[in-house]
Each structure stands twice: as structure tokens, then as C-alpha cells.
Amino acid sequence: NAGVTQTPKFRVLKTGQSMTLLCAQDMNHEYMYWYRQDPGMGLRLIHYSVGEGTTAKGEVPDGYNVSRLKKQNFLLGLESAAPSQTSVYFCASRPKKTGGSHWNTGELFFGEGSRLTVL
Amino acid sequence: AQSVTQPDIHITVSEGASLELRCNYSYGATPYLFWYVQSPGQGLQLLLKYFSGDTLVQGIKGFEAEFKRSQSSFNLRKPSVHWSDAAEYFCAVGPGPNAGGTSYGKLTFGQGTILTVHP
């Protein structure tokens, strides 16, 4: 099973360039998330989506845009990259909690990460 | 607002020694709690989770964690560390069963603890 797949795995950009990170999940999960990981700061939530066609801001949304046109895909865009956006980006997903059953206890399923360097 | 604190940025232990990684959280209701591990260049793997019941939970790779509500802590332990345990460890808190509909499963992560294992 593929689970959560992120592309590309590595990318180097120049300041001002744009790019899109793609996250794809094959688990039919409703909720999807984009986090960034920086040394000493753990993971911080950028944007998230609770279903197809819906997105919302997380803790550090500035400089990023997202789209969820299909349930299985969650795209993270940088319109004008800045050196402060040099980071490792992780996509995650989870099913929507239903009925309070313990089969779904809220853990996130992560992709392997995308390392972005902005020069 | 929810928060997670991992007081130790870096811990070094000898192989075979016992290990305890600290995690303190702040959350307005009963949370779900998680420990994730990240090996160098890899994504995050779930070690264990607490969602209800017994406050001592067992995870993969011989790890366990104890939920102490009175201390708002969820410390990770292992009786005998192996060299392959060297990695970065993240504690995370998320909405529990009474969180309500707008939490959308968002997890808040601690800053991470880097574990180095000496032979």
C-alpha cells in the first residue's frame, strides 16, 4: 500500500520562484494536513482540509496556498518563494472520526517529507 | 490553546541503558496523546498512543508511555536502549472524544528530542 505519497522529495528554488508540492493518499481519508518541520521547532501546521473543496489556515499559513480539488490530493503552493520557507514539508492524513469508535483514535498518517531549499 | 513541551532538546545514553523522554502538554479537555519517531531522512512513524483506559500504554520497538493527568505529562520510556533507537522523537496532542466538531483532528507537536546512543 502506498499510503501518503509526496512529490517531489527534494527541490531547490531561487527566491521569487513558484512551485507546488503534491500530496496523494490512497486511504480514502477525509482530513489532510500540511506541516513544516524546522530544527528546534517541531512540526507546525500550515494549512489543512476537512474534505474535497475545503481548506483552512493553520498556525503558519503566510506565503502558502493550498487546494483540494480531489479527495485524494492536497496541493501546497508557494507563489513567491523566500529563504524563510526553506524547510522539510510533511503531508499527513486521517479519516474523519465517526461514531466515537476507537478504531480511529486520531493518529495522523505521514508522507516521507519534501525537502525544499530556497536560495 | 493547546501546546506541547519537550524540555530536553538532546539526550545521549549508552546502549543498554534505560531511557525516559519527557513530554508535558496543555489542553482544555481530555486529549489524545501520541509519540512519533523520525529516523534521519525519514517520515514520522507512530510509536504509541493514548486514547482511554489504562494509563500505561505499550508501543512498538519496546517503548511504553505513561499518561499522568494530574501532571499533564506523557513521558516515553524504554528499559534498554538499542543503537537503532537513535532518532528524533516527537510528542503530540490532539482532540479527544469530547473535543467537538471544529477541532478537525489537528495535532500539536512538541519541539522534538534528539536521541543519541553511544555504543
Side-chain angles (χ1 to χ4, degrees), chain A residues 10 20 25 33 54 66 78 81 89 98 107:
Chain A
F10 302 92
T20 300
Q25 53 95 3
Y33 312 83
T54 71
V66 288
L78 286 72
Y89 292 86
T98 57
E107 66 263 35

Side-chain angles (χ1 to χ4, degrees), chain A residues 59-72:
Chain A
E59 180 185 356
V60 288
D62 294 342
Y64 305 95
N65 57 76
V66 288
S67 64
R68 184 104 180 263
L69 299 180
K70 294 182 178 180
K71 184 177 183 179
Q72 64 268 32

Side-chain angles (χ1 to χ4, degrees), chain B residues 33 37 40 48 50 58 60 70-71 74:
Chain B
L33 294 158
V37 61
L48 50 75
Y50 170 79
Q58 303 296 321
I60 62 171
S70 62
Q71 299 179 17
F74 189 56

Side-chain angles (χ1 to χ4, degrees), chain A residues 29-44:
Chain A
H29 287 170
E30 289 82 5
Y31 294 173
M32 297 186 73
Y33 312 83
W34 275 108
Y35 284 87
R36 60 177 288 173
Q37 182 186 22
D38 302 291
M41 304 191 75
L43 279 77
R44 293 179 293 169

Side-chain angles (χ1 to χ4, degrees), chain A:
Chain A
N1 289 339
V4 179
T5 303
Q6 295 180 227
T7 53
K9 298 288 193 293
F10 302 92
R11 185 73 186 271
V12 178
L13 289 177
K14 294 182 179 178
T15 296
Q17 287 185 318
S18 63
M19 76 157 295
T20 300
L21 296 176
L22 170 63
C23 176
Q25 53 95 3
D26 61 2
M27 297 174 283
N28 201 34
H29 287 170
E30 289 82 5
Y31 294 173
M32 297 186 73
Y33 312 83
W34 275 108
Y35 284 87
R36 60 177 288 173
Q37 182 186 22
D38 302 291
M41 304 191 75
L43 279 77
R44 293 179 293 169
L45 182 64
I46 305 171
H47 285 280
Y48 64 100
S49 169
V50 300
E52 183 177 322
T54 71
T55 63
K57 294 180 180 179
E59 180 185 356
V60 288
D62 294 342
Y64 305 95
N65 57 76
V66 288
S67 64
R68 184 104 180 263
L69 299 180
K70 294 182 178 180
K71 184 177 183 179
Q72 64 268 32
N73 295 338
F74 194 28
L75 279 65
L76 178 71
L78 286 72
E79 290 186 348
S80 179
S84 61
Q85 295 177 304
T86 294
S87 188
V88 180
Y89 292 86
F90 285 97
C91 177
S93 71
R94 57 153 275 188
K96 182 178 180 180
K97 182 178 180 181
T98 57
S101 64
H102 286 162
W103 67 268
N104 167 29
T105 50
E107 66 263 35
L108 302 186
F109 297 82
F110 283 88
E112 293 189 347
S114 298
R115 182 174 295 276
L116 175 65
T117 301
V118 183
L119 303 176

Side-chain angles (χ1 to χ4, degrees), chain B residues 44-117:
Chain B
L44 280 77
Q45 180 183 20
L46 181 69
L47 272 181
L48 50 75
K49 59 189 177 185
Y50 170 79
F51 55 93
S52 70
D54 194 346
T55 55
L56 184 64
V57 295
Q58 303 296 321
I60 62 171
K61 304 183 180 184
F63 285 91
E64 65 178 27
E66 186 172 11
F67 171 53
K68 293 186 176 180
R69 186 187 304 273
S70 62
Q71 299 179 17
S72 297
S73 69
F74 189 56
N75 294 348
L76 182 70
R77 301 195 293 251
K78 187 170 186 179
S80 178
V81 171
H82 188 263
W83 63 266
S84 61
D85 293 324
E88 188 163 16
Y89 292 79
F90 293 95
C91 181
V93 62
N98 302 316
T102 60
S103 57
Y104 299 124
K106 292 174 285 182
L107 295 192
T108 298
F109 287 82
Q111 303 91 323
T113 298
I114 297 172
L115 174 65
T116 298
V117 181

